[in-house]
Amino acid sequence: KGADLTKVLAFIDQHYAAPDPQKYGLAKGRNVIIIHLESFQQFLIDDKIHGQEVTPFLNHLYHDDQTFSFPNFFHQVGQGKTSDAENMLETSVYGLPQGSVFTALGSDNTFQAAPAILGQKGNYSSAVFHGNVGSFWNRNSVYKNMGYQNFFDANYFKTQGNRSLQYGLKDKLLFHDSIKYLEQLQQPFYAKFITVTNHFPFPLDDEDTDFQLPDTDDKVVNQYFGTAHYLDQALKEFFTYLKSSGLYDNSLILLYGDHYGLSNKENLSLAPLLGQSAETWSSYDNAQLQRVPLMIHLPGQHHGGIQEQYGGEIDVLPTLEHLLGIDNKGYIQFGTDLFSPHHDQVVAFRNNNFVTPTHTVIGDTIYNHAGDEITHPSKSLRQKINRQKKQVRTELQLSDTVNNKNLLRFYTPVGFKPVAPENYDYKDSLT
Ligand code: GP9
Ligand code: MN
């Protein structure tokens, strides 16, 4: 245990990326609203089908100068899908190589997660809004270990009949019906909304759509655009509420896609819609499609714009902490602040493949930025890629050790109090 922890701390310490002073504290004291865009991929942004914009509201947000938009941001989930994404966003620790941290270890492990950190450092209250049963992905245990004060799960909403699809309450209803709870939270709050309607295989009731679907040979691919469009409308409605309530002006709104919606097999039917052909589609193309949105919207702040740096879900918490004026030094977090000049742009996938601004590495194959395979890399390129490969493996392995050996129970950052899960009882919260 001692030796493992020493190794982890040495890595974390040399990997630490100090904040950019221009960004540090930029959003200090604001409410934080996290919006989890289920299965939402970056290629949907600015995309058109039959002349219709798929996501007009998100496109607008993406190009707004009040938004920091990251077109080179990747999901990094494994089999834990949504729960892996949540785990990275909340803790900046990776999911597991197999299974889900939430279900495998989430009931007993020690977490040093965003709700507790923001609660202790910024006096934030905290809540999750999700229209599915609380036991899904073991959330009702994990959230207590993360220090979430409130979890508004399906118990708190009317989910009967055509109000729900597949994984719970439809997104428009989730946002609408959450308002009465949101308004009771003490400010500043850290609130997360987990949407569900844009979930495989992307069914929608006729009453919920006005979008003319594409006509590829794969129904799943076609439907994906319809549910993404529905989600976009739900977001527009929610922002309208935020503005009219006044919450908007003193909030930071962070939106992210949790993972791909379309699989590598479905990408072959998708390819023509992206102006590419199924015949020349490659592993490189599949890797590029693992981009998901990350947008950090700061109303009233007009120095945002498109941020080209490469990053992934592991980097969100350090970025958020620094925007709020909380230094992540001393925390066991594997990501680095996207705005830091020292930000690490090697983006690890959970299977050890990785993407950098110049190369994509899949197993032993190296692709350049144009997607061409580099069959005879120069000696210096080979050395560089090998170094990055080693770094990716080390980082994932150390993260696995933290999870599997529950190392955080032996390490408490200076000034942080371990979470007492018994303090939380979601059935009683705010009702
Ligand atoms: C269910 C939802 C879906 O509550 O978050 O999880 P996923 O299937 O995407 O992992
Ligand atoms: Mn998901």
Side-chain angles (χ1 to χ4, degrees):
K1 140 206 149 187
D4 288 329
L5 190 55
T6 305
K7 267 192 226 154
V8 169
L9 288 170
F11 176 88
I12 293 293
D13 194 48
Q14 67 72 33
H15 198 231
Y16 170 72
D20 169 1
Q22 303 273 344
K23 301 287 186 321
Y24 191 74
L26 192 62
K28 198 177 170 76
R30 287 192 190 225
N31 299 315
V32 175
I33 301 174
I34 307 279
I35 304 183
H36 174 111
L37 307 173
E38 179 57 42
S39 302
F40 198 100
Q41 293 176 241
Q42 178 68 18
F43 75 81
L44 291 164
I45 300 295
D46 287 339
D47 197 16
K48 279 190 181 171
I49 296 290
H50 301 307
Q52 322 149 96
E53 273 184 90
V54 183
T55 58
F57 179 72
L58 279 172
N59 298 347
H60 175 79
L61 206 62
Y62 179 78
H63 294 288
D64 187 333
D65 66 0
Q66 300 170 95
T67 308
F68 294 102
S69 300
F70 296 86
N72 297 310
F73 179 81
F74 293 76
H75 84 76
Q76 299 172 288
V77 310
Q79 292 170 344
K81 301 297 287 288
T82 288
S83 67
D84 281 359
E86 284 191 66
N87 189 61
M88 284 184 273
L89 270 280
E90 302 285 7
T91 68
S92 194
V93 177
Y94 290 94
L96 296 170
Q98 266 93 41
S100 154
V101 190
F102 269 35
T103 50
L105 304 168
S107 299
D108 301 317
N109 268 15
T110 296
F111 291 83
Q112 289 156 5
I117 297 169
L118 271 55
Q120 294 182 28
K121 302 286 161 189
N123 206 21
Y124 278 76
S125 66
S126 53
V128 180
F129 300 86
H130 184 51
N132 195 1
V133 292
S135 56
F136 202 94
W137 283 129
N138 195 28
R139 285 182 173 106
N140 43 15
S141 298
V142 177
Y143 287 167
K144 289 177 186 170
N145 287 329
M146 289 183 165
Y148 265 113
Q149 291 170 336
N150 305 282
F151 178 20
F152 299 101
D153 69 355
N155 278 316
Y156 290 82
F157 303 103
K158 284 204 192 78
T159 59
Q160 292 81 359
N162 64 359
R163 297 178 58 82
S164 288
L165 277 161
Q166 303 197 101
Y167 292 88
L169 191 61
K170 293 175 181 176
D171 297 341
K172 287 184 186 177
L173 304 177
L174 170 74
F175 287 115
H176 180 269
D177 295 356
S178 292
I179 290 169
K180 60 177 180 287
Y181 302 121
L182 184 66
E183 290 186 335
Q184 294 179 59
L185 294 179
Q186 182 198 288
Q187 299 190 53
F189 55 71
Y190 173 73
K192 168 159 86 170
F193 292 81
I194 306 175
T195 64
V196 293
T197 309
N198 187 43
H199 192 290
F200 180 87
F202 316 109
L204 207 53
D205 292 331
D206 288 342
E207 69 200 45
D208 292 317
T209 185
D210 56 1
F211 192 79
Q212 196 197 341
L213 300 179
D215 28 41
T216 76
D217 54 9
D218 190 327
K219 188 177 170 202
V220 166
V221 173
N222 299 341
Q223 296 196 141
Y224 182 55
F225 291 86
T227 46
H229 182 73
Y230 171 86
L231 170 55
D232 186 70
Q233 292 179 326
L235 297 168
K236 184 179 180 186
E237 292 178 9
F238 186 53
F239 271 68
T240 300
Y241 156 75
L242 289 175
K243 285 179 186 169
S244 68
S245 68
L247 284 174
Y248 180 73
D249 296 313
N250 60 342
S251 295
L252 173 160
I253 305 157
L254 184 153
L255 304 98
Y256 77 101
D258 64 340
H259 51 72
Y260 63 86
L262 300 179
S263 66
N264 291 350
K265 180 180 138 279
E266 285 146 358
N267 286 345
L268 298 174
S269 298
L270 174 70
L273 296 179
L274 305 178
Q276 287 178 255
S277 96
E279 282 73 49
T280 57
W281 192 263
S282 68
S283 301
Y284 168 85
D285 297 307
N286 285 328
Q288 304 316 306
L289 271 200
Q290 305 314 306
R291 284 179 169 79
V292 292
L294 173 65
M295 300 185 209
I296 304 177
H297 186 65
L298 280 173
Q301 173 285 137
H302 290 274
H303 303 284
I306 309 289
Q307 314 289 307
E308 294 290 344
Q309 58 271 46
Y310 278 55
E313 290 170 331
I314 203 75
D315 300 317
V316 174
L317 181 60
T319 308
L320 177 66
E321 286 167 328
H322 288 173
L323 284 172
L324 297 176
I326 300 167
D327 197 331
N328 85 324
K329 198 173 182 60
Y331 286 88
I332 295 184
Q333 297 175 353
F334 287 88
T336 57
D337 177 355
L338 289 158
F339 293 119
S340 169
H342 308 288
H343 167 62
D344 177 2
Q345 295 197 82
V346 177
V347 185
F349 293 158
R350 188 51 262 202
N351 59 7
N352 292 312
N353 293 337
F354 61 94
V355 176
T356 77
T358 52
H359 295 89
T360 292
V361 178
I362 308 206
D364 289 326
T365 310
I366 307 171
Y367 296 90
N368 68 15
H369 195 60
D372 301 316
E373 209 176 311
I374 304 179
T375 45
H376 299 287
S378 67
K379 188 171 172 209
S380 71
L381 177 64
R382 197 167 347 105
Q383 284 172 342
K384 181 173 144 189
I385 298 286
N386 283 340
R387 256 200 322 275
Q388 290 172 335
K389 236 182 214 179
K390 212 175 131 198
Q391 188 202 315
V392 163
R393 273 169 209 278
T394 305
E395 184 171 336
L396 290 167
Q397 273 165 14
L398 290 172
S399 169
D400 293 344
T401 311
V402 168
N403 283 325
N404 289 325
K405 300 197 175 169
N406 188 13
L407 285 187
L408 295 184
R409 82 195 130 131
F410 304 121
Y411 176 79
T412 306
V414 177
F416 180 81
K417 276 206 315 290
V419 170
E422 63 278 8
N423 288 347
Y424 308 110
D425 178 358
Y426 299 139
K427 297 224 174 50
D428 296 338
S429 53
L430 295 184
T431 51

